Amino acid sequence: MRKLLFEMAYDGSRYHGYQVQQNALSVAQVVQDAVEAVFKKREDIVGCSRTDSGVHANQYFFHMETALKIPADAAVIALNDRLPGDVAILSCREIPPEIAANFHARYSVCWKEYIYKIWNSQVKNPFLQNRALQVKYPVDAELLNRCAKEFIGTHDFRGFCSAGAKPTDNYTRTIYETSVRREGDLIEFKVAGDGFLYNMVRIMVGTLLLAPLGKLREGDVTRILASRDRDQAGITAQAAGLYLNRVSYTPFGEETTGGFCEVF
Amino acid sequence: MRKLLFEMAYDGSRYHGYQVQQNALSVAQVVQDAVEAVFKKREDIVGCSRTDSGVHANQYFFHMETALKIPADAAVIALNDRLPGDVAILSCREIPPEIAANFHARYSVCWKEYIYKIWNSQVKNPFLQNRALQVKYPVDAELLNRCAKEFIGTHDFRGFCSAGAKPTDNYTRTIYETSVRREGDLIEFKVAGDGFLYNMVRIMVGTLLLAPLGKLREGDVTRILASRDRDQAGITAQAAGLYLNRVSYTPFGEETTGGFCEVF
């Protein structure tokens, strides 16, 4: 059996998230259907992450096993021909046999990066419908950037996990890097970490957006983290501005050391 | 009666063009419905241009007359609340009484500018579905830029008008400016002129894209223009990459002279 690793990207607007669900269109469903058409039998695909309804991915990985000898490049073309225009296979590679047994698209992930896009203007933008959160009040990106730096480090993120989430015994996550940058009327919040709780990035954004309203000051993120109290944080920002941006199988900061799992 | 001039933008993906049609969703239809809800009676709106099915607009104007005294800014907010996310009212102003009688959103247009977006990559881009034409072979933007300059001037554009178009007795149009620029994998063709024949920009693009294939050389655009033969030009490029980008009520090059009709 060959083990293949596929890289894809998708506009999540039409989908009820990545995961297959009953009675709702999912990204995994349309990919699974295309895989079945190309590989002539139903091969289970294993995704790198869940994503919520309406969330996008600039980079997403899934693996599958197959006995067929379709070349990797031909599989990319064949799958893209069968997939709708909002789901794209970017690349495919065969996982070397010596690491295939231990490699898992989800469990082997070292860190992930998300982007959250904010359209900061009073003017409605028809091209960012479903792709960014419109915020009409003036947002000081530099202030958000300073507040966001307080997320960096290893913390108990209970305060930034949706109340409706399945309880877990480990709320500790490590955030490696954050940044908030403005380009014209578009503001991008970027965050990289070893893992994220349910709705964690969206609650981070909902909290940071309190700062321009004077309801969050520097030091408050640190205080909310310590409180581990969901009620201290801001609202959960809408899904539409969120993009899974990067998924890495190499420890953070070690991307230049080479080897298969440096997938970029 | 007040005469109002509205500026809008739309993502045309879902629409069968601007013009109201039977049994097909149009941009004018949804705007007309929103206008009816806000102004409490059916006011005819007069658009600045037709656009084809799937074509977008970064700037589009329409005018209407009304007896209601709704302030211009309030009308923008009220209309946007009722419009779908892919159609946005950008601004509204009352046309000064001294020029209102002679002002017409369509007939007063001095020039228009279109953009055509080309995604020049072998990699499928799920975020540019319906928003750009994917061209997989390498395109030399500088070569296209030189060829496109041959469109500048006053010419008979019969060779760049769809065969299916309603015959007209005037195929002469003046092109003021063209440019082709690359930014990463995205190439933008920009063209400004006093008017455009049916499918003219799309046939220009279909023709320019012959250059990287060695089927169009410098001087050929001039030759095709002179031939006035549609068969000498390239195919009609798909609608999805086309954007009405700017509509001006001031003569080309005189935007800085001030006055109401300098709408930018």
Side-chain angles (χ1 to χ4, degrees):
Chain A
M1 293 292 265
R2 306 158 71 203
K3 202 166 184 174
L4 301 176
L5 181 66
F6 289 91
E7 182 188 11
M8 75 172 167
Y10 54 83
D11 175 333
S13 306
R14 288 199 304 137
Y15 301 96
H16 291 258
Y18 173 78
Q19 291 288 113
V20 172
Q21 296 173 50
Q22 289 218 312
N23 307 320
L25 188 68
S26 64
V27 176
Q29 181 70 58
V30 301
V31 174
Q32 194 80 67
D33 290 347
V35 163
E36 187 168 355
V38 171
F39 290 90
K40 306 299 180 204
K41 66 186 270 262
R42 197 132 195 114
E43 305 282 356
D44 278 334
I45 63 168
V46 178
C48 65
S49 179
R50 286 164 179 268
T51 61
D52 284 348
S53 188
V55 172
H56 315 291
N58 292 325
Q59 184 173 58
Y60 190 100
F61 290 97
F62 64 88
H63 81 249
M64 59 172 278
E65 291 185 296
T66 182
L68 285 192
K69 296 206 189 309
I70 301 176
D73 288 352
V76 172
I77 294 168
L79 286 172
N80 278 330
D81 281 351
R82 280 160 183 85
L83 284 166
D86 51 10
V87 177
I89 304 294
L90 305 180
S91 71
C92 170
R93 72 196 78 186
E94 192 160 341
I95 302 172
E98 62 274 21
I99 68 161
N102 291 318
F103 183 87
H104 187 283
R106 183 165 170 200
Y107 301 132
S108 301
V109 170
C110 291
W111 58 277
K112 294 192 279 194
E113 180 180 82
Y114 284 92
I115 282 180
Y116 195 95
K117 294 189 184 180
I118 296 162
W119 173 243
N120 187 37
S121 168
Q122 299 194 292
V123 180
K124 186 175 171 182
N125 188 329
F127 299 102
L128 291 179
Q129 183 199 21
N130 303 327
R131 298 196 181 177
L133 170 70
Q134 182 175 9
V135 175
K136 293 184 181 177
Y137 55 82
V139 174
D140 176 354
E142 271 312 306
L143 171 60
L144 262 64
N145 190 48
R146 290 194 300 275
C147 292
K149 294 293 180 207
E150 298 175 33
F151 287 120
I152 297 173
T154 301
H155 309 284
D156 182 320
F157 278 92
R158 212 165 309 199
F160 294 86
C161 177
S162 264
K166 212 169 56 179
T168 161
D169 52 10
N170 183 9
Y171 291 92
T172 300
R173 298 291 183 275
T174 298
I175 297 300
Y176 298 117
E177 217 163 81
T178 66
S179 68
V180 181
R181 288 206 182 88
R182 170 186 288 279
E183 217 180 292
D185 289 333
L186 200 65
I187 295 172
E188 278 194 4
F189 168 58
K190 221 184 242 189
V191 56
D194 66 350
F196 293 85
L197 300 169
Y198 187 55
N199 285 347
M200 183 166 141
V201 180
R202 292 165 58 188
I203 300 170
M204 287 171 148
V205 172
T207 304
L208 292 172
L209 283 172
L210 294 171
L213 300 171
K215 295 181 187 166
L216 185 90
R217 289 170 201 284
E218 291 181 56
D220 280 355
V221 165
T222 303
R223 185 185 51 73
I224 299 167
L225 282 166
S227 79
R228 298 184 293 173
D229 177 5
R230 172 69 187 87
D231 293 339
Q232 301 288 311
I235 61 159
T236 304
Q238 69 177 31
L242 188 60
Y243 297 69
L244 179 55
N245 191 54
R246 209 168 151 178
V247 178
S248 179
Y249 296 102
T250 306
F252 190 81
E254 294 181 21
E255 293 85 353
T256 54
T257 56
F260 172 76
C261 283
E262 183 196 352
V263 286
F264 309 110
Chain B
M1 293 290 264
R2 305 159 71 202
K3 202 166 184 175
L4 300 176
L5 182 65
F6 289 91
E7 182 188 10
M8 74 171 169
Y10 53 83
D11 175 334
S13 307
R14 286 199 306 137
Y15 300 96
H16 290 260
Y18 174 77
Q19 291 289 113
V20 171
Q21 297 173 49
Q22 289 217 311
N23 307 320
L25 188 69
S26 64
V27 176
Q29 182 69 58
V30 301
V31 175
Q32 194 80 69
D33 290 348
V35 163
E36 187 168 354
V38 170
F39 290 90
K40 306 300 179 203
K41 65 185 270 262
R42 197 133 193 111
E43 306 281 356
D44 278 334
I45 63 167
V46 179
C48 65
S49 178
R50 286 164 177 268
T51 60
D52 284 347
S53 187
V55 172
H56 315 290
N58 292 326
Q59 183 173 58
Y60 190 99
F61 290 97
F62 64 87
H63 81 248
M64 59 172 278
E65 292 185 294
T66 182
L68 285 192
K69 297 207 189 307
I70 301 176
D73 289 353
V76 173
I77 294 168
L79 286 171
N80 277 331
D81 281 351
R82 280 159 182 87
L83 285 166
D86 51 10
V87 178
I89 305 295
L90 306 181
S91 71
C92 170
R93 73 195 78 186
E94 191 161 341
I95 302 173
E98 61 274 21
I99 67 160
N102 291 318
F103 183 86
H104 188 283
R106 182 164 170 202
Y107 301 133
S108 300
V109 170
C110 290
W111 58 277
K112 295 190 278 193
E113 181 180 82
Y114 285 93
I115 282 178
Y116 195 95
K117 295 189 183 178
I118 296 161
W119 174 243
N120 187 37
S121 168
Q122 298 195 293
V123 180
K124 185 175 171 182
N125 187 329
F127 299 102
L128 292 178
Q129 183 201 21
N130 304 327
R131 298 197 182 177
L133 170 69
Q134 182 175 10
V135 174
K136 294 184 182 177
Y137 54 81
V139 173
D140 176 353
E142 272 312 305
L143 172 61
L144 261 65
N145 190 47
R146 289 193 301 274
C147 292
K149 294 293 180 207
E150 298 175 33
F151 287 120
I152 295 174
T154 301
H155 307 284
D156 182 319
F157 278 92
R158 212 166 310 200
F160 293 86
C161 178
S162 264
K166 210 169 60 178
T168 162
D169 52 9
N170 182 10
Y171 291 93
T172 301
R173 297 291 183 276
T174 298
I175 297 300
Y176 298 116
E177 218 163 79
T178 65
S179 67
V180 181
R181 289 206 182 88
R182 170 186 289 278
E183 218 181 291
D185 289 332
L186 200 65
I187 295 173
E188 278 195 3
F189 167 57
K190 219 183 244 189
V191 57
D194 66 350
F196 294 86
L197 300 169
Y198 188 55
N199 284 348
M200 183 166 140
V201 181
R202 292 164 58 187
I203 300 170
M204 286 171 149
V205 172
T207 304
L208 291 172
L209 284 173
L210 294 171
L213 300 171
K215 294 182 187 166
L216 185 90
R217 288 170 203 284
E218 290 181 57
D220 281 354
V221 165
T222 303
R223 186 184 52 70
I224 298 167
L225 282 166
S227 78
R228 298 183 294 172
D229 177 5
R230 172 69 188 87
D231 293 340
Q232 301 287 309
I235 59 159
T236 304
Q238 70 176 31
L242 187 61
Y243 298 69
L244 178 56
N245 191 53
R246 207 169 153 179
V247 178
S248 179
Y249 296 102
T250 306
F252 190 82
E254 295 180 20
E255 292 85 355
T256 53
T257 57
F260 172 75
C261 282
E262 183 196 350
V263 288
F264 309 111

